[in-house]
Amino acid sequence: MNSIWSIAKRELRNYFVSPIAYIILTVFFVICGLFGYIEYMAKFQYAQLVPIMGLMTNIFMFLSPMLTMRLLSEEKKQGTLELLYTSPLTITGIVLGKYLGALLFFGLLFLISLEFPIFLMLYGKPDVPVMLASMLGFILFGGTLIAMGLFSSSLAETQIVSAVIGFALVLIFWVMEFFSSAVSGSVGNWLATLSLSKHLESFNKGVLDGGDIFFFLAMSFMFIFLAIRRLEWKRW
Amino acid sequence: MIKVSRLTKYYGPTRAVEGVTFEAEKGEIIGLLGPNGAGKTTIMRMLTGYFAPTSGTAKVAGYDIIEEPMEVKKRLGYLPEVLPLYYEMVVSDYLEFVAQIKGITFKERRAKVAKALGLARIEDVKHRIIGRLSRGYKQRVGIAQALLNDPEVLILDEPTIGLDPKQIIEIRELIKSLGGSRTVLLSSHILPEVSMTCEKIIIINKGRVAAVTDKAAIEGKDRILVKLLGQPEQAVAALSKVKSVAKVEHSVEGSYSVLTLESSGKKDIRQDVFKAVVESGLVLVEMRQASHTLEEVFLKYTAKEEDAR
């Protein structure tokens, strides 16, 4: 347990040693801020968090592979995985530590993004339950993308390759709904249930659907599990 | 301390290591000697729990590597061939991190990091970023990392590769100083490297143990090179008579004759050789113990293996 925390802490610190943390945070908040300004001040002038949440999910979709690409790829390439494997750690512990590290960075990003709801509260009267629901949706969505990226990182030895795989994976699950409309019958319906965007809809309407919450948690769990299996399989 | 029995590893259909068996006592410094690709790293990776053997097993520090890998890992220090360093980290932070994942308690951590820094003699660079250190210092950081948990067994894969001669001597001294209380297993493809640090040498060839031998046999205490002024025939005749000389080979180098003598016994024959040279009226210009080259050692042992079959 302690070692999971040690790995997570090192990972979080690592983000700020390299320029990646600053790039992600800058890009994210410059775009969201600009859009927020246009959306609220210039265009509609209504107090709703949903439009900006929608934008945040879209931007984070593009940035998440950058956040996760180095998690396991870098360890493999630098040979430090050999250190982790020969230390008294389990593979599950290593992978969970990595996940937690990236999740902590995402948590930081989320904390900064609280400026948007705070300003809405200060200058307008937003619908608080809808706001909270959409924020929960964003958190669950972020956790799922990080799990997907972590799995991609377990597949590749270079950061670029793992970023590309990660982005492809996220994109496939994002546009799954579009695929599903092209396929008729039960296969189509089944594909639709795997769509990330579809499961986000209810949150943005202020509805907390148990099925949708379960979907994101299950997806995260599945990709973390796959990453663990992948490393175990590689090892024997 | 280390007890390896019939360790075998296949990568798919490719045989990397087959039926390797050897033992190491507490406090011994053992060398795995073999050409590149002989399976040294594979053996070490199995012992350290990096991957599992296809068959066979081993006991390290009293624990089975398959049944109780965690217990083994707690008692082990390992320096892989590719240094497992996070280049963007500061030396002391890195060691602190390794101490954490090795399960060293918060209370002990500071003292252990300080001790490892001292043993590897890297206190003066502890605040520097690893990536900016010289190769020699990086190697020392790697060794410090392996020493952090006060391991009973230390496994070092090619510890002196890529270092300059001065650094090699320093690392060699360091390794020697680590023996005694710890069991050290190191690998190298360079013969003098192993013969200078290890008492016991295990020669690995094509994934098998070709021979288990000792320092003396490899250093060639039993082999003497003599350089004389005079005709080779006369010299051979004179020196063949010396007691316990088993084999004489000769060659000519300008006006000198060069003879290589092999003794059959353990006794140092140099005194007798000197006397024989003087008695025969020849002039001795050089005499030394001739070390074997890696090729010779291999030929010697692999030939024996072939004969045995």
Side-chain angles (χ1 to χ4, degrees):
Chain A
M1 201 55 219
N2 279 333
S3 44
I4 295 178
W5 180 239
S6 306
I7 292 174
K9 261 192 321 192
R10 202 200 69 78
E11 207 55 55
L12 182 64
R13 229 162 108 182
N14 204 356
Y15 283 122
F16 290 94
V17 172
S18 67
I20 207 90
Y22 307 101
I23 295 174
I24 291 178
L25 291 176
T26 308
V27 170
F28 188 80
F29 287 107
V30 164
I31 298 179
C32 291
L34 275 176
F35 181 81
Y37 173 78
I38 296 165
E39 189 83 353
Y40 299 123
M41 309 299 282
K43 227 163 115 194
F44 301 111
Q45 304 200 330
Y46 54 60
Q48 264 194 27
L49 191 64
V50 170
I52 200 152
M53 273 297 170
L55 186 78
M56 275 164 62
T57 49
N58 281 325
I59 308 275
F60 189 68
M61 215 170 78
F62 285 94
L63 294 179
S64 72
M66 277 170 75
L67 191 65
T68 54
M69 63 185 181
R70 60 173 297 151
L71 288 177
L72 294 164
S73 302
E74 188 72 1
E75 300 272 352
K76 283 192 256 180
K77 203 172 158 221
Q78 278 198 353
T80 42
L81 203 58
E82 198 158 353
L83 170 70
L84 299 181
Y85 278 1
T86 55
S87 297
L89 302 170
T90 57
I91 290 192
T92 309
I94 295 169
V95 173
L96 285 180
K98 292 276 165 187
Y99 182 69
L100 186 62
L103 207 59
L104 285 174
F105 183 85
F106 175 71
L108 185 80
L109 181 139
F110 176 76
L111 278 181
I112 303 177
S113 81
L114 288 179
E115 59 161 321
F116 298 118
I118 288 171
F119 274 107
L120 279 185
M121 299 279 279
L122 284 177
Y123 296 104
K125 286 200 184 70
D127 185 342
V128 176
V130 175
M131 208 166 78
L132 291 177
S134 65
M135 276 154 65
L136 179 67
F138 179 62
I139 293 173
L140 289 170
F141 179 73
T144 306
L145 292 201
I146 290 169
M148 285 178 168
L150 179 69
F151 169 64
S152 315
S153 185
S154 76
L155 296 175
E157 291 227 352
T158 59
Q159 296 187 34
I160 295 298
V161 176
S162 80
V164 170
I165 298 173
F167 187 64
L169 203 61
V170 170
L171 213 58
I172 288 170
F173 279 94
W174 183 255
V175 298
M176 200 63 100
E177 208 183 346
F178 173 75
F179 289 149
S180 67
S181 60
V183 186
S184 58
S186 56
V187 179
N189 286 337
W190 184 76
L191 282 177
T193 59
L194 288 176
S195 161
L196 289 173
S197 48
K198 194 159 177 60
H199 287 280
L200 262 182
E201 278 169 12
S202 65
F203 291 101
N204 289 335
K205 284 176 194 148
V207 181
L208 286 187
D209 184 305
D212 290 334
I213 296 174
F214 176 78
F215 169 78
F216 284 114
L217 293 178
M219 286 286 271
S220 308
F221 180 81
M222 184 184 83
F223 280 106
I224 294 170
F225 177 74
L226 284 176
I228 294 169
R229 287 318 301 251
R230 155 76 185 174
L231 291 189
E232 277 173 352
W233 173 75
K234 252 292 223 197
R235 197 168 162 188
W236 306 125
Chain B
M1 269 293 132
I2 304 178
K3 195 172 178 200
V4 182
S5 49
R6 304 210 53 76
L7 213 53
T8 299
K9 178 78 184 176
Y10 279 82
Y11 295 118
T14 321
R15 186 187 77 194
V17 167
E18 174 111 35
V20 166
T21 302
F22 66 86
E23 270 180 50
E25 300 298 324
K26 190 180 158 100
E28 264 185 321
I29 303 182
I30 305 232
L32 289 181
L33 179 67
N36 291 321
K40 304 183 296 284
T41 298
T42 305
I43 294 171
M44 291 184 151
R45 284 183 161 178
M46 287 189 277
L47 293 181
T48 54
Y50 180 71
F51 48 47
T54 309
S55 68
T57 189
K59 275 193 172 183
V60 176
Y63 293 91
D64 193 283
I65 56 163
I66 296 167
E67 275 149 29
E68 289 170 292
M70 286 297 165
E71 296 303 316
V72 171
K73 288 172 185 178
K74 276 182 204 162
R75 289 164 179 79
L76 190 85
Y78 175 41
L79 174 72
E81 189 177 351
V82 179
L83 298 174
L85 304 174
Y86 294 103
Y87 287 146
E88 69 287 341
M89 285 178 100
V90 169
V91 173
S92 54
D93 288 348
Y94 169 73
L95 291 178
E96 168 76 23
F97 169 70
V98 176
Q100 286 173 17
I101 62 169
K102 287 200 172 182
I104 297 169
T105 57
F106 179 75
K107 270 188 191 166
E108 290 178 295
R109 228 177 273 156
R110 238 183 134 152
K112 295 231 169 168
V113 169
K115 194 179 167 196
L117 283 168
L119 278 173
R121 279 184 268 139
I122 46 171
E123 287 114 329
D124 49 333
V125 296
K126 68 178 175 185
H127 297 304
R128 291 184 54 191
I129 292 170
I130 294 173
R132 299 202 184 136
L133 295 176
S134 69
R135 169 81 212 194
Y137 268 113
K138 281 183 190 145
Q139 195 80 20
R140 281 157 181 271
V141 176
I143 291 175
Q145 163 275 122
L147 290 171
L148 262 179
N149 55 340
D150 258 329
E152 293 168 43
V153 176
L154 198 58
I155 295 185
L156 310 168
D157 197 355
E158 301 266 5
T160 55
I161 202 166
L163 299 180
D164 67 37
K166 189 169 162 276
Q167 293 167 330
I168 289 179
I169 293 167
E170 286 173 0
I171 297 286
R172 218 181 263 157
E173 292 303 314
L174 177 61
I175 294 168
K176 274 189 194 164
S177 72
L178 295 174
S181 56
R182 299 177 181 85
T183 306
V184 183
L185 177 69
L186 64 87
S187 76
S188 180
H189 62 278
I190 304 157
L191 181 89
E193 200 46 65
V194 172
S195 64
M196 265 177 225
T197 34
C198 309
E199 293 112 39
K200 195 159 131 190
I201 294 155
I202 294 157
I203 297 173
I204 307 284
N205 193 29
K206 291 179 188 157
R208 291 171 188 273
V209 174
V212 178
T213 174
D214 58 7
K215 203 170 161 172
I218 281 197
E219 272 186 345
K221 287 255 162 64
D222 55 346
R223 217 159 80 128
I224 284 160
L225 188 136
V226 184
K227 204 170 182 181
L228 300 158
L229 195 60
Q231 289 302 312
E233 291 78 20
Q234 197 192 346
V236 172
L239 292 181
S240 301
K241 276 181 249 157
V242 176
K243 221 169 83 184
S244 71
V245 165
K247 203 172 147 194
V248 182
E249 283 168 21
H250 69 272
S251 61
V252 180
E253 238 178 62
S255 53
Y256 300 113
S257 304
V258 180
L259 281 79
T260 312
L261 309 177
E262 262 175 51
S263 73
S264 52
K266 291 260 174 210
K267 199 178 145 243
D268 193 343
I269 56 168
R270 282 178 292 183
Q271 283 187 23
D272 298 338
V273 170
F274 178 78
K275 282 177 194 155
V277 172
V278 174
E279 277 164 21
S280 64
L282 293 162
V283 180
L284 182 65
V285 291
E286 191 185 338
M287 175 158 71
R288 61 182 161 89
Q289 291 184 324
S291 57
H292 296 270
T293 63
L294 182 59
E295 290 73 26
E296 283 175 330
V297 172
F298 271 127
L299 276 177
K300 191 170 149 195
Y301 289 109
T302 47
K304 262 186 202 164
E305 206 187 34
E306 302 277 300
D307 290 346
R309 271 185 211 154

